[in-house]
Amino acid sequence: MSTGALSEQARWPAPRGHGQKILVPSIGQLHALLKQQSTVNPNEDARAREEPLRGHCTVQQPPGDLSFCRTSFANLRSSAMRSAVQLAYDYTSSYLLRELPPIDKQTPIIMGGHQPELFHCGVWYKNFVLSKLAREAQGVAIHFLVDNDVCRATSIRVPVVTAEGLDTKEVPFDMGTPRHPWENCRLNDAGTWGSFSQRVLAELPPMQTTALVDRLWKHAIQRSRHIDSLGLLLSQARHLLESELGLQTLEVPLSMLVGTTEFAKFSMQLLSDAKRLHSTYNAEIQRYRTEHRIRNHAQPVPQLSSENGWLEVPWWCYRHDATERQPLWVHPDHQRITLSDRKNWQATIDNPGTPEAAVQWQSILQSGMRLRPRALLTTMYARLFLCDLFIHGLGGARYDQLTDKIISQYFAVQPPPVAVASATLHLPISGQFDQASDDIEQQLIQCQQNLRAAQNNPEAVLNYAQVQNQAERNLWDQLLQEKRALLATIPPKGEKWEWHSSIKNVNQRLAELSKPHLTLLQARIDSLQSQQRQRAIRFSREYSFCLFPAETIQTCFV
């Protein structure tokens, strides 16, 4: 896989069949890539080579003058990698005994990330790839929790059996949907939390073996005795379950990774040249939309705004007790830069682009204001400074094509490598729901076409034998003769009013005679749509990983 592979393919379709997986490049190719990356670049700083972790760029040595608040790229990368590993080890050790393997300059750091939610198995597969690749490459696998994203649900969708067949139901693990940043969400209802697994198991259709939710939720209940952060509760329970399944990974919240001196230097260097960042970011978004013929101004991400000297930049800002995120705005002014949410908070940083500016950035964090990167900036920082290989899911791989362009244009370096991993699993639901036919969609399309034709031109679809009785057949023949006569004598333009009235009357009377046939067609369409919906419910790939039996996961992923 070339380093530009994300730019070569606009979309990776989700696997459709049960057990089908996507991993691009293959495990073998990824090992070769990591081995290639382990060669120390002869141009890197001598001090970086002496550090426990290597500090060279994984793809191409950046220009010698590329620095971040007067720290060289190589040294900042080396320091950021050390910090990331130590933070991940310290955080993971707070709830899971995990040994930190010996790390030297050739130890590959492999990373992925996702929101701390009960995601589907396609997302979960990334963690299995992370663990396998790191184990075989004698590296370190780190999954970071995107806790600056918004919590959009405190429930999961569960398939249930009703009198009409399969349906879905939302089963909550907490009360309310806060829609706050995950790091600001707290557990609200201990009773709902404690009974979650029993309620899920009571709703699930019969399966051959028990869902993982029971094992998962024992960890969730145990951890709720120690912490109340909703996102950390969910992710720590999952991580403990992963450990039982044999995975060897470290985890760390993104909020910790971006609270470091290294991220402060990265941020302040970019903001010291905010106008160029703003213009490059917007230009690459527009170029991407043009290349991919995207008209939606929110896709893949919105462009940054500007107003009265203020520039919107790709960070979020919010306080520790905030209910919603605000975009960060900056106002550059000679030797200082003003940061604001343009509502009720503002701060000034002197001498941006210097080590002192990074200290001021961290002082803002210590005051309770949270300055967090948006999606593109998150993976940009992770790929450039925290790891040797980043593993994306399907959605992240699509938007990170844009990140590649921004990295190339803004930093004048080749984008670091990435992998794309996803999978599809279907719940092993027993019984009649396995009988859905693969050609339902084609049958439905044909029936819908027949219905439209019968409504608009009934004589082209119905024949004499389909009319109910002899009297109606006689009337049918009479109406057809009238219609043929009318069509044979179409009057000139301006004299058609009476003719239109007559043809309309004939068509209405033909439609009345065809009602039984239309009713049968509509009933068939309703039946097929019901089957289609049942099939969509039965074979959805979006169900949470915790609904699947351990045997299914072990067979397909391990």
Side-chain angles (χ1 to χ4, degrees), residues 345-376:
W345 171 79
Q346 186 168 298
T348 299
I349 293 181
D350 295 321
N351 303 312
T354 65
E356 294 75 20
V359 172
Q360 294 173 68
W361 174 280
Q362 289 193 288
S363 295
I364 293 173
L365 300 184
Q366 291 164 7
S367 73
M369 178 58 66
R370 293 174 170 171
L371 304 173
R372 307 296 192 232
R374 301 193 200 177
L376 300 185

Side-chain angles (χ1 to χ4, degrees), residues 410-426:
Y410 189 83
F411 295 106
V413 300
Q414 213 172 0
V418 297
V420 182
S422 190
T424 290
L425 295 186
H426 296 150

Side-chain angles (χ1 to χ4, degrees), residues 32-40 54 56-59 388 417:
L33 178 62
L34 289 171
K35 187 175 181 180
Q36 174 188 347
Q37 301 306 104
S38 69
T39 304
V40 177
R54 68 183 183 281
H56 63 282
C57 181
T58 59
V59 179
D388 300 291

Side-chain angles (χ1 to χ4, degrees), residues 12-295:
W12 289 264
R16 297 189 65 182
H18 173 69
Q20 291 183 348
K21 300 182 282 287
I22 288 176
L23 180 57
V24 181
S26 67
I27 282 284
Q29 291 171 319
L30 289 173
H31 281 304
L33 178 62
L34 289 171
K35 187 175 181 180
Q36 174 188 347
Q37 301 306 104
S38 69
T39 304
V40 177
N41 193 306
N43 297 322
E44 70 178 332
D45 289 3
R47 285 174 298 175
R49 291 202 301 273
E50 294 169 0
E51 298 289 357
L53 291 175
R54 68 183 183 281
H56 63 282
C57 181
T58 59
V59 179
Q60 171 183 307
Q61 183 69 10
D65 60 352
L66 182 57
S67 64
F68 295 80
C69 291
R70 300 177 185 169
T71 299
S72 71
F73 180 97
N75 283 345
L76 188 66
R77 175 177 165 79
S78 175
S79 177
M81 291 178 81
R82 289 197 311 276
S83 293
V85 172
Q86 192 62 55
L87 283 169
Y89 175 72
D90 291 345
Y91 170 76
T92 301
S93 298
S94 70
Y95 61 91
L96 174 63
L97 292 177
R98 182 73 84 221
E99 290 187 8
L100 186 64
I103 297 174
D104 60 24
K105 291 182 292 185
Q106 274 65 52
T107 303
I109 309 300
I110 306 158
M111 186 172 276
H114 203 78
Q115 294 84 352
E117 57 194 16
L118 300 178
F119 38 64
H120 63 76
C121 288
V123 173
W124 203 24
Y125 177 59
K126 292 190 300 180
N127 290 6
F128 288 81
V129 174
L130 266 175
S131 180
K132 176 181 173 65
L133 188 59
R135 183 177 67 250
E136 294 176 352
Q138 297 183 319
V140 177
I142 300 176
H143 172 85
F144 67 79
L145 312 168
V146 187
D147 59 348
N148 63 336
D149 208 347
V150 172
C151 171
R152 291 177 170 82
T154 53
S155 63
I156 64 169
R157 191 168 64 102
V158 177
V160 297
V161 178
T162 69
E164 290 75 31
L166 274 180
D167 204 342
T168 60
K169 180 177 182 178
E170 293 292 328
V171 179
F173 49 79
D174 195 15
M175 298 306 294
T177 304
R179 299 193 68 82
H180 303 166
W182 274 104
E183 63 178 316
N184 288 4
C185 293
R186 296 292 176 263
L187 178 62
N188 291 319
D189 192 302
T192 301
W193 184 263
S195 63
F196 175 67
S197 62
Q198 295 97 313
R199 288 183 286 111
V200 168
L201 291 172
E203 297 288 358
L204 272 175
M207 294 198 300
Q208 297 162 0
T209 52
T210 305
L212 278 168
V213 66
D214 194 42
R215 289 170 61 178
L216 173 75
W217 222 248
K218 288 177 182 176
H219 295 305
I221 292 172
Q222 189 274 331
R223 291 307 301 159
S224 69
R225 302 187 185 109
H226 303 278
I227 59 174
D228 66 351
S229 168
L230 192 58
L232 298 190
L233 282 170
L234 293 171
S235 59
Q236 289 179 12
R238 170 191 45 74
H239 200 199
L240 288 162
L241 175 62
E242 289 174 355
S243 182
E244 292 178 357
L245 296 174
L247 275 66
Q248 293 286 320
T249 60
L250 300 176
E251 298 216 346
V252 62
L254 178 63
S255 55
M256 291 185 177
L257 291 176
V258 300
T260 61
T261 299
E262 292 80 14
F263 185 75
K265 290 181 177 181
F266 169 76
S267 297
M268 284 313 307
Q269 186 63 45
L270 266 60
L271 292 180
S272 71
D273 197 4
K275 291 180 180 178
R276 187 167 73 90
L277 174 66
H278 188 275
S279 63
T280 302
Y281 191 95
N282 282 352
E284 293 306 324
I285 290 174
Q286 187 54 52
R287 186 174 290 114
Y288 181 92
R289 288 176 184 164
T290 301
E291 289 175 357
H292 296 279
R293 299 180 180 179
I294 297 172
R295 295 184 179 180

Side-chain angles (χ1 to χ4, degrees), residues 11 44 266 309 314-315 421 475:
R11 183 179 179 87
E44 70 178 332
F266 169 76
W315 284 259
L475 179 58

Side-chain angles (χ1 to χ4, degrees), residues 440 444 521-534:
I440 289 175
L444 181 59
L521 269 176
Q522 187 60 59
R524 176 61 177 157
I525 288 170
D526 292 344
S527 173
L528 288 168
Q529 286 176 333
S530 175
Q531 292 179 55
Q532 189 180 53
R533 184 168 182 272
Q534 297 281 300

